[in-house]
Amino acid sequence: MDFLKSAVASAISKGPPFPYSFGDRVDVDTSIWNLFNGTRREDGSNCSIFSFDVTANKSRLPMARNAVKKLRTLRHPGVIKVLDTVETETYIYIATERLVPLRWHIKRKSMSAETLKWGLCGVAQTIKFINDDASSVHGALRVGSIYTSESGEWRVGGFEVLSSMKDDEAIIYNYGSLVPDSGRYTPPELARSGWDAIKKNPLTAVDAYNFGTLIFEVFNGDFMGPDQAGQTKNIPPTMHSSYRRLVNSNPKARVSVGNFLEQGRRSGGFFNTPLIKLTDGVDNLGMKSEEEREEFLNDLDQLSDDFPEDYFKMKILPELLKSVEFGGGGPKVFGVVMKISKKLTDEEFEIKVTPAVVRLFSSPDRAIRVCLLDNLPLMIDRLPQKVVNDKIFPQMVTGFTDIAPVVREQTVKSVLTIIGKLSDRTINGELLKYLAKTSNDEQPGIRTNTTICLGKISKNLSTGTRSKVLIAAFTRSLRDPFVHARNAALMALAVTSDSFNEDDIANRILPSLCPSLIDKEKLIRDQSNKTMDIYLQRIRKFASTMADTVLPPPGAVEASAAAPRMGTPQPSEAASWTGWAISSFTNKVSSAVGEITTNQNPTPNGSANPARPSSAPLSTEPRKPPGTASASALHRQAVISPPPTSARTSTSSNANDYFHDADAGDVEIEIDDAWGNMEEDPFFEAATDASKAKDIGTANPFEDDGEPDFAGWLAAQAGKKAGGKPLPKGLAKPANGSTARPAAARAASTGGVAGLGAGAKKAATTTALKPKPAPAKKIDTAPKETGEDDGWGDGW
């Protein structure tokens, strides 16, 4: 092989310039020619080179020269296209289009029956032209003289003995028998009488017989001799009758190739196939009428996937793209373009299809744009990222705001296809801006698809905007009146749970999910429960890793630095659900003995503030809203210790009376807001020891170094002797079994605060600053004789 190349190169160097480079040698049937793959030096394009060694084949030199002459002068689409020729005393070279021997395809059986019919139809058209129009005889028609071009079309070669019957000295008479393997393919009449018998028979007889042997060969792989002529093995049944007439032993009874072609093209004939009709009409597709174009498109739809790939790549595809872009072919034609494009390599797709696709995206034809979006998944992997981001997406975004809902919806769906080819800047900028518009679209289906789209592209969003965008979009969709939009939001939240931190889940997502738990649609309720479970598991897992408390240990802060804040639970009190709430301001009362004493609230002029009689009207001072009820008043009362000699002047035993000195209104509102109506609370119905009630007034309820412990005081009283005095009225259980109503609850039920106003608050502050001792007063526990049945007595 290397020797042959060097010999060829040496011969070229001694002869006229030949602007083609030799490549690999191609194996062919026995022939006078050697076939090489080649390239054109000027542009690197592919070609084939037929080489004839004059020195080794001097006896066949006239045949080589005849082939060169006929190839250069005989022009037909079915004939090998010649690029250049050169002849010297030592060699003859013919540069042609890139060719592949048909024998390769036949041996591999790589062509379907329909493709073989299509190829035979093309060869028949070429032989008809040679016989009828050129008045010539090919004389060497067989598989070895047929080649396929880069477009997959069958090309007729082997013109070594092609002769015009008008020439009395035609080369076929003398050299027909010198064609390699001529004995297998020679018609019977020529085998008996010699090649001069051509003159006695119809001009078409020789080529008709050889065309018949070609049919047998392409369907069966090889033709071994005259004995196989007429056998119909593997030949399509529709072709049997006409095929037998081609190989008739009587040359005058043979049908010509032209007639055979005509029979095949009749309605229902063996050449009347969608593939053949398609190739016949593709050249003038843009000039067809509406009816003809519709018929052509119907033929396209009938094509199977075994069409001749190379032909469709090279010939059909460019014509179809022209029809779509300029000839009104429409979506139907573009669908065939995509079907053919599957067979293209990435490089071929970029060269042949990508430019047309970019131009089509700017088309105002909505049908074309929807078709492009539908077929985007088929071509997105073939499109370079820069083309998609810089050229296709800017044209595609107009679909987000198109007046046609189908365009908007298809544009939203296409986002999932192109998201991988968009830059981060495009995704987090322009794309999100348009998705925000479609999430508010008037069409519920488009809103739903936008939610689904956001859920599926969540991983492509930047970490800085992901949670903010998704929470805003999904929580809004949870309130959508369209049930499937709500369901899509719930499902999107379920699959994007990893995109949110625990703070967002607890503060924003879970509260938004709660209304869906009681949605009117069972579909939503079920999905909401599933989604809620996902987030609750996440929160529980996170909470299990948190510390028990962020407060410092009890001994870490000096006792004199600051007292514990009101309402702060202490570790030792965690066992009781009421312990922290009450002991926070009464933890020192448990040690009190005797009568309870309190500051005597002076009036503004210095006189004591008498207890409000029961007949006094309730204050009309408005309540403070719950948000204003703070621990400030109670904290001041807890840390400012009143004089030990201060005494209560009221005989009330209502629990709220212990907070009147600081700010009765504030305390009452805070308790009511925190606990509700204490009238129903059994905590205040506990039995107490009345025997020690007289000692309550002498107890100091507040200390400088601690907080009041009202719960502890009640527990202490309950543990005294059973024979002691009863608790003050209002804390003891009435004899008739009814629950005593605390003053705070009674005041709350009438809508006001019990007799406390701004003056009382000011008096309390003055008393705290300038306490005046007052004699302790024993609590009169004897029941008063009155007809009232409200349990409160006349002293109020």
Side-chain angles (χ1 to χ4, degrees):
M1 182 65 187
D2 293 337
F3 172 77
L4 181 61
K5 284 186 178 181
S6 62
V8 170
S10 176
I12 292 175
S13 65
K14 297 178 182 178
F18 188 63
Y20 298 91
S21 299
F22 283 77
D24 298 331
R25 180 176 177 176
V26 179
D27 293 332
V28 296
D29 288 352
T30 304
S31 173
I32 67 173
W33 300 93
N34 292 317
L35 180 62
F36 296 86
N37 289 328
T39 56
R40 188 175 183 178
R41 294 173 187 169
E42 182 179 357
D43 55 8
S45 58
N46 294 329
C47 69
S48 290
I49 301 173
F50 289 89
S51 172
F52 179 80
D53 188 346
V54 175
T55 305
N57 295 283
K58 282 187 178 181
S59 62
R60 293 175 173 173
L61 180 59
M63 298 169 62
R65 288 176 174 170
N66 183 70
V68 173
K69 177 182 178 182
K70 297 300 181 180
L71 284 172
R72 291 180 66 92
T73 57
L74 195 64
R75 300 303 178 98
H76 187 272
V79 175
I80 293 173
K81 181 181 179 181
V82 176
L83 304 177
D84 201 356
T85 62
V86 62
E87 180 179 353
T88 68
E89 295 179 354
T90 58
Y91 63 85
I92 297 175
Y93 297 141
I94 306 174
T96 69
E97 60 182 319
R98 174 62 64 88
L99 299 171
V100 174
L102 178 62
R103 177 72 69 186
W104 287 15
H105 301 287
I106 299 302
K107 285 183 176 180
R108 295 197 305 264
K109 297 182 178 180
S110 60
M111 293 182 174
S112 66
E114 291 301 314
T115 302
L116 293 176
K117 286 183 183 180
W118 169 72
L120 287 171
C121 182
V123 172
Q125 289 175 319
T126 305
I127 298 301
K128 178 179 182 297
F129 169 77
I130 292 173
N131 293 161
D132 296 347
D133 297 342
S135 301
S136 300
V137 175
H138 186 282
L141 188 62
R142 65 196 68 173
V143 167
S145 62
I146 308 296
Y147 301 85
T148 60
S149 66
E150 284 187 301
S151 63
E153 295 173 278
W154 291 19
R155 301 283 194 246
V156 178
F159 287 174
E160 289 79 19
V161 294
L162 190 149
S163 303
S164 173
M165 293 296 99
K166 297 178 181 179
D167 186 0
D168 293 337
E169 300 296 328
I171 193 174
I172 193 171
Y173 301 136
N174 299 321
Y175 288 89
S177 60
L178 296 179
V179 175
D181 285 339
S182 63
R184 283 192 291 165
Y185 301 99
T186 302
E189 69 275 11
L190 299 184
R192 291 191 303 266
S193 306
W195 287 83
D196 286 339
I198 294 176
K199 300 176 182 179
K200 302 176 183 179
N201 297 310
L203 180 148
T204 60
V206 173
D207 288 340
Y209 181 87
N210 288 150
F211 188 78
T213 61
L214 174 66
I215 292 174
F216 181 89
E217 200 168 12
V218 298
F219 283 107
N220 292 279
D222 207 352
F223 181 77
M224 303 306 298
D227 293 341
Q228 290 181 329
Q231 295 182 10
T232 58
K233 180 183 178 182
N234 296 327
I235 297 175
T238 56
M239 200 179 286
H240 288 175
S241 176
S242 299
Y243 158 69
R244 290 193 185 98
R245 295 179 65 186
L246 283 172
V247 294
N248 194 307
S249 58
N250 182 2
K252 292 182 171 59
R254 290 174 193 155
V255 63
S256 68
V257 175
N259 289 333
F260 178 84
L261 178 65
E262 184 180 351
Q263 292 174 12
R265 285 188 170 279
R266 292 173 182 172
S267 178
F270 45 82
F271 283 156
N272 188 22
T273 66
L275 178 59
I276 293 174
K277 289 195 294 183
L278 175 65
T279 56
D280 289 343
V282 71
D283 292 334
N284 57 350
L285 180 60
M287 304 298 294
K288 290 182 179 295
S289 64
E290 189 66 30
E291 293 78 11
E292 292 173 333
R293 185 185 291 115
E294 188 65 26
E295 182 181 358
F296 174 80
L297 296 179
N298 291 334
D299 292 337
L300 284 176
D301 288 341
Q302 297 176 25
L303 285 179
S304 58
D305 290 334
D306 59 358
F307 54 77
E309 298 176 12
D310 294 333
Y311 178 75
F312 273 70
K313 292 177 186 177
M314 302 292 294
K315 292 297 181 93
I316 302 294
L317 185 61
E319 293 298 325
L320 294 179
L321 287 173
K322 290 179 184 177
S323 176
V324 174
E325 196 169 356
F326 307 111
K332 199 169 185 179
V333 174
F334 190 81
V336 180
V337 169
M338 289 294 99
K339 186 176 181 179
I340 297 171
S341 298
K342 294 179 182 178
K343 309 290 185 178
L344 300 178
T345 64
D346 291 344
E347 183 179 358
E348 290 172 338
F349 187 91
E350 185 173 358
I351 295 172
K352 300 177 183 299
V353 181
T354 299
V357 169
V358 173
R359 292 192 296 269
L360 286 172
F361 264 105
S362 61
S363 171
D365 188 342
R366 289 191 176 90
I368 289 293
R369 299 185 63 184
V370 171
C371 181
L372 286 170
L373 296 174
D374 286 339
N375 288 279
L376 200 55
L378 300 177
M379 54 183 172
I380 189 62
D381 292 335
R382 306 285 193 92
L383 297 172
Q385 181 175 2
K386 186 173 179 61
V387 171
V388 175
N389 190 77
D390 298 344
K391 295 181 179 180
I392 292 180
F393 182 75
Q395 299 291 341
M396 194 185 81
V397 294
T398 57
F400 287 110
T401 56
D402 197 279
I403 60 174
V406 64
V407 178
R408 300 200 302 273
E409 183 170 10
Q410 204 60 40
T411 305
V412 171
K413 291 180 180 179
S414 66
V415 171
L416 301 179
T417 303
I418 68 168
I419 190 70
K421 294 294 182 78
L422 299 180
S423 65
D424 290 342
R425 182 176 181 179
T426 301
I427 293 172
N428 295 284
E430 193 170 5
L431 177 60
L432 287 182
K433 179 180 69 175
Y434 284 107
L435 289 179
K437 292 182 179 179
T438 56
S439 66
N440 296 320
D441 197 275
E442 61 182 7
Q443 296 292 326
I446 296 177
R447 298 197 302 269
T448 303
N449 285 329
T450 302
T451 301
I452 296 172
C453 176
L454 284 171
K456 291 188 174 183
I457 69 171
S458 60
K459 300 296 183 183
N460 300 94
L461 303 180
S462 66
T463 54
T465 61
R466 184 184 303 159
S467 61
K468 180 173 65 175
V469 170
L470 296 183
I471 291 175
F474 296 160
T475 55
R476 180 168 187 169
S477 295
L478 287 174
R479 303 189 300 271
D480 197 293
F482 187 53
V483 60
H484 296 292
R486 301 198 299 276
N487 190 50
L490 290 169
M491 297 178 70
L493 282 170
V495 300
T496 59
S497 59
D498 294 339
S499 303
F500 313 114
N501 58 39
E502 285 74 13
D503 287 340
D504 286 337
I505 293 174
N507 296 319
R508 302 182 64 185
I509 296 178
L510 286 176
S512 299
L513 286 174
C514 289
S516 299
L517 295 172
I518 56 172
D519 194 275
K520 295 180 180 179
E521 298 292 336
K522 186 176 184 300
L523 172 69
I524 304 302
R525 296 195 298 271
D526 293 343
Q527 185 59 47
S528 180
N529 277 285
K530 295 177 184 178
T531 306
M532 182 75 77
D533 288 343
I534 293 174
Y535 283 100
L536 285 177
Q537 291 176 9
R538 173 99 177 269
I539 288 296
R540 287 166 182 157
K541 183 177 179 180
F542 176 75
S544 66
T545 65
M546 298 176 66
D548 292 343
T549 181
V550 295
L551 297 177
V557 181
E558 294 182 1
S560 61
R565 292 178 58 88
M566 188 205 80
T568 302
Q570 303 302 315
S572 61
E573 301 163 348
S576 173
W577 72 276
T578 58
W580 68 268
I582 298 178
S583 64
S584 59
F585 53 85
T586 60
N587 60 356
K588 294 300 181 178
V589 183
S590 60
S591 60
V593 179
E595 295 182 344
I596 296 178
T597 60
T598 183
N599 290 336
Q600 187 125 359
N601 295 339
T603 59
N605 57 8
S607 60
N609 184 20
R612 182 183 61 86
S614 60
S615 61
L618 295 175
S619 172
T620 59
E621 181 179 347
R623 285 177 177 266
K624 294 183 180 180
T628 64
S630 65
S632 60
L634 295 177
H635 184 64
R636 288 197 306 270
Q637 185 171 350
V639 299
I640 300 176
S641 178
T645 57
S646 62
R648 268 187 78 149
T649 58
S650 174
T651 59
S652 170
S653 57
N654 191 337
N656 279 342
D657 286 308
Y658 292 102
F659 312 117
H660 287 175
D661 294 328
D663 191 341
D666 290 346
V667 174
E668 184 179 7
I669 292 172
E670 183 172 358
I671 292 178
D672 285 352
D673 289 339
W675 300 105
N677 192 348
M678 292 183 293
E679 180 180 42
E680 302 295 331
D681 196 338
F683 174 83
F684 292 94
E685 297 178 4
T688 56
D689 189 355
S691 62
K692 299 297 181 179
K694 62 180 180 179
D695 297 328
I696 295 177
T698 61
N700 186 1
F702 308 115
E703 300 256 340
D704 291 335
D705 57 351
E707 295 181 355
D709 188 359
F710 187 54
W713 175 79
L714 291 175
Q717 300 309 312
K720 298 300 181 178
K721 295 180 181 180
K725 295 182 179 180
L727 286 176
K729 188 177 182 180
L731 292 182
K733 193 170 182 179
N736 57 4
S738 62
T739 304
R741 299 178 62 193
R746 184 181 180 191
S749 65
T750 57
V753 180
L756 291 177
K761 295 180 182 180
K762 183 176 179 181
T765 305
T766 306
T767 304
L769 297 176
K770 297 179 182 180
K772 293 183 180 181
K777 182 178 180 181
K778 296 293 184 177
I779 297 176
D780 186 5
T781 59
K784 297 182 181 296
E785 296 187 10
T786 177
E788 297 185 14
D789 199 24
D790 59 0
W792 293 103
D794 295 333
W796 295 83

